[in-house]
Structures are given as structure tokens and as C-alpha cells.
Amino acid sequence: MNGIDKNLWTFREAADVRRLDRFVLLMLTAAGIFGVLRLLDWWFRAVHVGNIALYLLLSLVFWWGILRLVIIWIGLLKIKKPATAPTPAPGLKVAIFTTSSPGEPASMFEKTLAACARIEYPHTTYLLDDTRDPVFREIAEQHGAVCLEIVGFPGAKAGKINEALRRTNEEFILVLDPDHVPFPGFLEHTLGYFQNPKTGFVQVCQAYYNQYRSFTAAGAAEQTYLFYGPTQMALHGMGCAVAIGANCTFRRSALESIGGHGIGLAEDLITSIRLHAAGWQSVYNPVVVSRGLVPEDLGSFCKQQMKWARGLFEVAFSEVPRAWKGLAFWQKLAYTSISTYYFVGVTMLVFVLFPFIFFATDTLSAHMKFVDFLQNTALVMLVDLAIYLYAQRWLCHPSTERGLHWRGMVLKFACTPVFVLGFVLSLVNADVPYIPTAKKAVTGTVTPFAKPLTIHAGLFLLVITAILCYRYFWMPADELVFSAEKTWGMIGFATIAFAMSVGGIFAAREAKHLKSEEPWETVPDRLTLKT
């Protein structure tokens, strides 16, 4: 096993929050808000208005993005790390629920259930199985787990959890995804927090061990690093840490008080909202006490994102309004922000289309010099970068997680069509099947999700070539000078999106040559709790 792998399989935790940290974040946020107000004054000037409809659309998506930045900045001012988990009382009745579904590789469960058996605090592990494959029962029994056959219940994973709740009686339930391998001391970092009778669930960090397998795996992991470090710590400080569906320990009575685990494509978020609306409290403990898998190919990643996008829009349109009265102010703000995250697909689509609208019609949405735009957004962007980098001190494993996370940004752009489709499907209330994320890379082919990226890249090259040829061979000299700034500004803007598409195409084509492996075979048989 290589050194990187050994480095992953040790206990990790985020840094403490110091008074100095709060002061630095406060000063950066103040500077950022000053920059936003300055930008606001410059942006909404009559001289900048081009085509009124396009200007309003551009303003809507641009300022939606700025508003989300400000919410993130302000949220980080609430960042908090809980006290070390108290030693759990002896004799608590604890269950571990993990699920198996048709198509999931049985060999993966060997590692997961073996690791569950080595968890030190006494517990019972249940495999919630709907495969009807005797191999899964044999593996469960081999590792001391109870196999519960749960077939035909609606609600996918949540449906199986709710049926298992009816068949068991343990007061505390750790929900563990089958691709996650827990460390022996896992429960020592969660159960103690339940000494507070108002604690409904305790979530710990979600970390990975296959992010080095591919461009997509690295990018998928990069998208989560800040969420499972500073963002969840900020949510904890707001009183609304989010249950993630994996590595989350619930109090049975809390789940029963809301009618069981929430059902939907975003079942974990639904459950969090309902528990908080019912008055239960949550704890986010930023520790790495298990590691799991991220998608290794772009197709699997896009399918995962489609499910999440459709699910979060469902939460935004249905669940948040229903729970609104029961939520505190910070909870309302956080859940509204989280559930509308995938609207970023619509905003990115607008930014992609605007240069092509200009190239085709010579219509500008706004009369802004590109240099002036850069000057007036510089402070906001610099502050945002500074906050982004400073917040990385609370990453759970900084030595492997720090950086600009550019692969994550490429994948985010590559999923623009997926996010837009998720938004459209939510508007027409169309169903999206609950499909478990692929546990192994789908190799030997290029996913159809890459087609929009290929079309965009080809269209960019065609249009830019036509523009350059026209300007060089046919455009009159006076018009050439007059149109230079706006044309080159739009070309520069469009080139950024083109580079992102090329990155997405690379990620898609990588799967064609990626070797399909069972990553859990690299998991060591013995895991450590301390560094």
C-alpha cells in the first residue's frame, strides 16, 4: 500500500475556532460587503443598460450569485466546533443500518461489514437487503450482522430504514452507506452528544479514499471538502447542521416524532429540516472516522448530480415552505440557500449564452467596459478568494484537501445541463428514479452527458473562427477599431466557458481508458483511531 493510502486511514479532525479567526473573518466580511455596495452603485447606472430584457436577466443571475457569496461570508461568522464528545454512557442500545441493493458488488460489503464488526462500542449491525441474493446474507452472518430482507417498500433507502425501525428497538441508529468503511472508534465521537436529551442527530465528516483514481474522482471530492469542514461547522453554529444520509447517528425517538426518515431524492435534507422544525437539535462533529467512495467517471457523477438537483429543488419548492413556521431565522436562511444551490445551472447557462447572443445579433445586455468590470468586481472577488482560502484551516484533512479545487469547478460547469434539467423537471414535477451512486467506474465508453460540452466547444471554435476571419478580411477599419473592446471582451468571456467545457470533455474521455477496479480492495484490514 502506498504512503497516500496509509495517510488516509487515520483519525482526523478540524482545527479549533479561535478568537483571532473570528476577527479575521469579520474584517474580511466587512471588506467584502463594502466591495459589494461599491459594485452595486456602479452596476445599476443608467448608462450601463443595453437591451433592457437582457440587462435585467443578467442582473438577476449575477446578483443572485453575489447574494449567495454574502450569505456564505456571514454564515462563516457563526462557525463553531463542538466540545469534544463526552464519553458515552455504557449500556446504550445502538444499531448500525447499512443497505444493499441489486447491482451493488457483494465484495464491497466484506470490507464494510468487517469494519462494522470492529467498532468498539457494543452495537448490532443490520444489513437492510432487497437483493434476495443469499450471498449478502452469508456475508452479513459471517461478520456478525443481522440480515433483514426488506423488499418492495416504497421510498428507496429511506423506505428500508423506516421498515427497519419498525423491526428493531435500539434507541440510537447509525446510518452508514455501504461504501463507507468506519473506524473502530466511530461511535465514541457521536454517542456522547446524546447526553443532551434535545439532540436528535449527530453528523460527522464524510471523507473518501478513492479521490486519486481519476480526474472526476478528484473533482467530486474537491466539491465536498469545504462543505464537510467549515460550511457544516458554520451550520452547526447556526443550529442547523445537515444530516447527510451517511455517517449520521439518529435518536430513534426523534425520527419517530416526525414519522420516520424523510422520503425523497434528498431524503437526508428532508429529514434534517423536519427534525429541526420539530424542535430537535443537531451536532456536527468535524472528525474523519470513516471513508467512502466518490464517483470515478463523469457519467456516474452526472447521474448522482441529477438525483440531487431534482431532490433539492423538490425541497426548495415543497419541504422548506411546509416547515417554515417551525424553523428559526438561521435555519430558514441556511435551508433556503442549500435547497436553491442547483439554480447555479440556470445562471451558468445564461453566462454561456450571452456571448453567443452578442456574436449573432450584435446586441449587448450591458454597456460595460471589460476593464471597468474587472476593476469594480476585483475587491469582491479578492475577498471571496481570501475567505475561501482562510476557511480551509477548518478542513478535516488539510494536507490532502487544501487548494483552489479547480477540478471541482470544472465538474460543476460540466454539470450545467444536468442542473438545468433538474430545475425543469422540478417545475413540471417529473419523477427521477432513485439510483444508488455507482461504486465502480463505468469504463470503456464516453458518457452521453459529454455531448452538450462537445457541442458547446465545437460551436465556440466555429463562431470564433468566423468572427476572426470576418474582422481580418472584411470588416472596415473604422468599425474594426470601434468594435474591438466589446468584441474581444466577449471572446475572452466565452473562452473561460470553452476552457471549462474542454476540461469536462477530458473528464468524460478519461473513463474510456480508465481501468475498472474494486477500490475497497485497497482498504487495510486494520484501521487506526489516532494519528
Side-chain angles (χ1 to χ4, degrees):
M1 181 178 297
N2 60 45
I4 291 178
D5 289 336
K6 291 179 181 178
N7 195 35
L8 294 177
W9 295 107
T10 53
F11 171 80
R12 304 285 174 179
E13 66 178 318
D16 294 333
V17 181
R18 307 165 300 180
R19 288 186 178 180
L20 174 62
D21 298 323
R22 297 189 184 279
F23 176 76
V24 171
L25 289 174
L26 180 62
M27 292 298 99
L28 287 173
T29 300
I33 292 176
F34 172 78
V36 169
L37 294 176
R38 181 170 171 269
L39 176 59
L40 188 72
D41 174 69
W42 175 81
W43 182 279
F44 290 105
R45 293 178 180 176
V47 67
H48 291 154
V49 179
N51 179 281
I52 185 64
L54 294 179
Y55 176 78
L56 291 175
L57 179 59
L58 177 64
S59 297
L60 175 65
V61 298
F62 179 81
W63 285 98
W64 171 259
I66 296 295
L67 176 62
R68 292 188 66 85
L69 288 184
V70 173
I71 290 174
I72 291 171
W73 299 344
I74 294 174
L76 283 172
L77 297 178
K78 303 284 288 184
I79 193 167
K80 181 181 179 181
K81 183 181 178 182
T84 301
T87 301
L92 299 178
K93 298 184 70 176
V94 182
I96 297 176
F97 287 175
T98 192
T99 61
S100 52
S101 299
E104 291 184 315
S107 58
M108 179 179 69
F109 289 82
E110 292 277 1
K111 291 289 185 179
T112 299
L113 293 177
C116 288
R118 291 194 293 268
I119 289 181
E120 294 164 351
Y121 194 92
H123 64 280
T124 301
T125 300
Y126 295 92
L127 177 63
L128 316 184
D129 178 58
D130 69 349
T131 67
R132 290 178 170 165
D133 185 341
V135 171
F136 286 88
R137 180 175 294 275
E138 292 172 6
I139 294 173
E141 293 174 352
Q142 177 186 347
H143 296 289
V146 177
C147 184
L148 298 179
E149 187 176 277
I150 301 177
V151 180
F153 288 87
K157 173 181 161 184
K160 286 192 274 191
I161 290 173
N162 289 337
E163 176 59 20
L165 287 172
R166 286 189 281 270
R167 299 188 194 181
T168 59
N169 59 11
E170 287 84 358
E171 176 58 15
F172 302 101
I173 298 98
L174 165 60
V175 176
L176 188 74
D177 275 359
D179 62 329
H180 279 255
V181 180
F183 295 5
F186 190 113
L187 293 171
E188 302 294 331
H189 294 273
T190 63
L191 292 177
Y193 293 114
F194 288 102
Q195 293 177 13
N196 176 359
K198 295 182 179 180
T199 299
F201 68 89
V202 179
Q203 177 70 53
V204 298
C205 179
Q206 188 158 308
Y208 313 100
Y209 64 89
N210 69 326
Q211 60 264 48
Y212 302 103
R213 281 270 296 145
S214 66
F215 183 98
T216 297
E222 286 176 357
Q223 288 190 4
T224 69
Y225 289 153
L226 260 73
F227 181 79
Y228 289 113
T231 301
Q232 275 276 48
M233 291 172 68
L235 291 170
H236 172 73
M238 296 180 192
C240 55
V242 177
I244 304 303
N247 302 331
C248 190
T249 307
F250 293 96
R251 188 191 296 271
R252 172 185 291 271
S253 55
L255 288 176
E256 290 177 344
S257 73
I258 60 170
H261 200 287
I263 292 177
L265 293 174
E267 54 194 15
D268 43 9
L269 187 59
I270 291 172
T271 304
S272 302
I273 293 172
R274 291 178 181 177
L275 286 171
H276 285 133
W280 292 98
Q281 297 176 6
S282 59
V283 175
Y284 179 69
N285 191 13
V287 296
V288 175
V289 286
S290 77
R291 285 192 182 268
L293 300 175
V294 285
E296 295 181 357
D297 65 280
L298 185 65
S300 298
F301 180 74
C302 287
K303 290 177 183 178
Q304 179 196 70
Q305 295 297 304
M306 171 64 75
K307 178 178 69 176
W308 290 356
R310 176 66 180 89
L312 259 67
F313 282 124
E314 178 184 14
V315 169
F317 295 152
S318 301
E319 197 65 36
V320 171
R322 277 199 298 263
W324 193 257
K325 290 184 179 179
L327 299 174
F329 170 77
W330 289 108
Q331 293 170 342
K332 293 175 181 176
L333 180 65
Y335 284 128
T336 300
S337 179
I338 292 170
S339 63
T340 56
Y341 166 79
Y342 286 107
F343 191 71
V344 68
V346 177
T347 65
M348 286 193 291
L349 178 63
V350 170
F351 287 127
V352 168
L353 292 178
F354 267 38
F356 290 101
I357 293 174
F358 168 74
F359 296 146
T361 67
D362 199 33
T363 301
L364 282 172
S365 58
H367 296 296
M368 298 175 182
K369 292 183 178 180
F370 191 62
V371 173
D372 290 345
F373 174 80
L374 292 178
Q375 289 177 342
N376 282 277
T377 58
L379 179 57
V380 176
M381 296 301 104
L382 287 174
V383 166
D384 185 57
L385 178 61
I387 292 176
Y388 188 86
L389 295 176
Y390 192 86
Q392 291 185 21
R393 70 171 267 100
W394 294 292
L395 295 175
C396 293
H397 193 180
S399 62
T400 63
E401 296 177 357
R402 282 197 185 102
L404 294 177
H405 303 152
W406 61 274
R407 296 177 190 84
M409 288 187 282
V410 168
L411 290 192
K412 186 176 181 179
F413 179 87
C415 285
T416 295
V418 173
F419 299 161
V420 173
L421 181 57
F423 178 65
V424 173
L425 292 176
S426 67
L427 291 179
V428 299
N429 199 28
D431 290 331
V432 172
Y434 187 103
I435 301 174
T437 303
K439 304 305 187 289
K440 296 195 298 182
V442 178
T443 62
T445 184
V446 177
T447 175
F449 285 105
K451 288 183 179 179
L453 303 176
T454 304
I455 292 172
H456 171 246
L459 182 62
F460 170 86
L461 293 174
L462 179 64
V463 170
I464 297 305
T465 300
I467 289 172
L468 294 179
C469 288
Y470 176 70
R471 292 180 65 84
Y472 186 80
F473 292 109
W474 294 290
M475 181 174 282
D478 56 342
E479 187 178 347
L480 192 68
V481 174
F482 177 76
S483 63
E485 183 177 9
K486 61 181 181 180
T487 300
W488 287 109
M490 281 295 184
I491 290 176
F493 194 67
T495 301
I496 297 173
F498 168 73
M500 290 290 191
S501 281
V502 171
I505 294 169
F506 170 80
R509 295 192 62 82
E510 183 185 33
K512 193 171 183 179
H513 308 287
L514 187 65
K515 183 179 179 181
S516 181
E517 297 179 351
E518 295 187 340
W520 47 88
E521 292 300 323
T522 67
V523 176
D525 291 331
R526 297 293 175 182
L527 305 178
T528 60
L529 180 62
K530 299 183 183 297
T531 55

